[in-house]
Amino acid sequence: MKITKVEAIPFAIPYRKPLRFASGEVTEAAHVLVRVHTDDGLVGVAEAPPRPFTYGETQASIVAAVCGLFADLVIGLSPLEREQVRVRLGRTVGNPTAKAAIDMALWDLAGQSLGVSVTELLGGYGDRMRVAHMVGFAEPAEMVAEAGRVREQYGISTFKVKVGRRPILLDVSACRALREAMPDAELYIDGNRGWTAAEAARALRAMADLDLLFAEELCPADDVLGRRWLVGQSGIPMYADESVPTPGDVTRELLGGSATGVSIKTARTGFTGSHRVLAQCEGLGVEVVMGNQIDGQLGSLCSLAFGAAFEATSRQAGELSNFLDMADDLLTEPLEIRDGLLRVREAPGLGIDIDASKLAHYRTDR
Ligand code: MUC
Ligand code: MG
């Protein structure tokens, strides 16, 4: 089986309501669908979400990287030669979501050709994950109302609360209101680098009684000493997200004492790189969470496929619900969260079937 063609198709699907956080906001899912074709008629798929505020990539740059740089490097290879692909793509710096989408599409092809799911191929630990929902910036009462709606409708009881605003009291009030409204819920916070280390320390002190699971990326990665100082005084684990886009960054952050947990995002490290990150974290005795790159259903299925495959990634609820904010999606069979759970598809590969008429409607290159 040989790769014959690689496509990168930009599309845009509106959000019902924007998601706002300290480093930016998302009002539409302007993503890139990556399709890898083979000579025996199989097609592997994945999606790349441009996040300029996190990786510097745009929709146009992802299309350009996939079509102009990467396609020629993988055409002619077998989809099973994933390490060849990783090395060849690795010669270009950056472009994490473009590379990750190609990697995940290859795993999809491997699963399809062997007749097994990607979850079974990767590790086969389980067939489901608990779902965590991300609550974006709004007035505290609105944030409480959203979390309540999501709990009521989907049975989700783990919430990641976006913080990093100034004054910090706004976020402290929102977290306190959420805790009061939901005494049994699991809550954690994500600052998207919005605070200084001193602000973060004050905010953590003010929220010390809220039983937060952990805090993610409260200050910029370049605040090297400030982050170490913060870790030293925090009563809860401090997770790295934007500061760990590669396995090397994971090593630097963990051994440098700037983080004590890691958010694994398949959108940026694919399945191959995410497996390496997971192995590093397990080897060092560090907890992980399956994060979300504000993925659509396709990207969420990829996070789920990876997260369910391993015990360590199945422990905590995975961030798998951002697609709920989208007005539509591309799959013929939509994802359904029930009782706070998402189940892995049993079909071979990722089990993804793209609705051709929806793709024709939402693609922006024609
Ligand atoms: C998250 O975990 O931070 C927002 C920015 C980003 O890079 O990812 C999202 C969610
Ligand atoms: Mg984050």
Side-chain angles (χ1 to χ4, degrees):
M1 181 172 47
K2 298 277 183 235
I3 298 167
T4 51
K5 187 167 85 166
V6 182
E7 289 178 286
I9 304 170
F11 64 92
I13 300 177
Y15 265 60
R16 284 202 199 92
K17 69 173 183 58
L19 179 70
R20 298 199 168 91
F21 41 94
S23 56
E25 69 171 7
V26 172
T27 55
E28 62 171 0
H31 298 179
V32 178
L33 175 70
V34 171
R35 290 203 285 212
V36 180
H37 299 254
T38 65
D39 55 2
D40 53 6
L42 296 180
V43 184
V45 296
E47 75 174 326
R51 297 291 168 251
F53 40 79
T54 306
Y55 309 117
E57 293 175 295
T58 66
Q59 200 179 33
S61 82
I62 291 170
V63 172
V66 172
C67 299
L69 289 170
F70 301 149
D72 282 350
L73 299 176
V74 302
I75 288 171
L77 289 177
S78 155
L80 296 176
E81 290 177 289
R82 292 180 306 271
E83 185 66 356
Q84 269 293 341
V85 173
R86 188 185 72 82
V87 171
R88 291 182 186 197
L89 269 46
R91 288 187 197 126
T92 298
V93 296
N95 297 285
T97 72
K99 291 174 183 170
I102 292 177
D103 175 73
M104 293 190 286
L106 296 186
W107 280 89
D108 185 23
L109 284 170
Q112 290 181 44
S113 69
L114 296 168
V116 296
S117 73
V118 166
T119 297
E120 288 171 294
L121 262 188
L122 283 166
Y125 175 72
D127 64 356
R128 70 195 72 180
M129 280 196 84
R130 286 192 300 126
V131 176
H133 183 71
M134 212 180 277
V135 183
F137 287 173
E139 287 304 311
E142 247 180 89
M143 293 167 74
V144 171
E146 183 192 333
R149 203 168 45 245
V150 166
R151 184 172 64 171
E152 187 62 29
Q153 205 169 338
Y154 302 102
I156 294 174
S157 56
T158 304
F159 297 94
K160 160 159 163 164
V161 189
K162 287 298 189 186
V163 299
R165 289 179 283 191
R166 295 189 172 104
I168 61 172
L169 186 61
L170 187 54
D171 291 332
V172 172
S173 309
C175 291
R176 190 162 294 285
L178 280 160
R179 174 51 78 216
E180 278 164 12
M182 300 186 179
D184 302 330
E186 290 185 330
L187 299 179
Y188 60 101
I189 56 172
D190 182 358
N192 291 112
R193 300 162 284 157
W195 285 330
T196 63
E199 286 170 327
R202 277 181 56 224
L204 287 175
R205 276 199 302 277
M207 294 190 277
D209 60 329
L210 299 186
D211 191 25
L212 299 178
L213 293 180
F214 60 87
E216 183 173 305
E217 209 76 84
L218 299 181
C219 343
D222 284 350
D223 296 355
V224 180
L225 294 182
R227 283 160 67 94
R228 270 185 224 167
W229 171 79
L230 194 59
V231 164
Q233 63 185 272
S234 172
I236 56 176
M238 303 294 281
Y239 275 52
D241 173 10
E242 293 97 318
S243 60
V244 289
T246 68
D249 295 317
V250 171
T251 307
R252 234 181 338 261
E253 287 300 298
L254 292 177
L255 296 189
S258 302
T260 47
V262 168
S263 172
I264 296 182
K265 292 187 174 175
T266 51
R268 70 168 163 235
T269 36
F271 296 139
T272 305
S274 296
H275 201 178
R276 285 176 149 88
V277 170
L278 175 62
Q280 281 173 276
C281 293
E282 288 200 285
L284 291 167
V286 165
E287 291 279 318
V288 298
V289 68
M290 287 309 298
N292 196 307
Q293 205 49 73
I294 323 179
D295 304 301
Q297 297 198 13
L298 208 67
S300 303
L301 255 180
C302 289
S303 302
L304 170 67
F306 185 89
F310 303 98
E311 190 267 338
T313 43
S314 301
R315 276 182 218 149
Q316 311 217 56
E319 296 163 11
L320 300 167
S321 68
N322 278 99
F323 68 86
L324 294 175
D325 289 338
M326 289 166 60
D328 200 357
D329 218 302
L330 295 180
L331 306 194
T332 48
E333 200 191 319
L335 286 186
E336 281 188 43
I337 302 173
R338 282 207 203 104
D339 301 326
L341 296 172
L342 256 183
R343 283 171 198 278
V344 170
R345 302 217 153 151
E346 279 168 18
L350 290 165
I352 289 168
D353 188 27
I354 301 290
D355 185 320
S357 61
K358 287 193 175 183
L359 180 59
H361 181 68
Y362 290 117
R363 67 189 295 171
T364 52
D365 57 346
R366 289 196 175 151

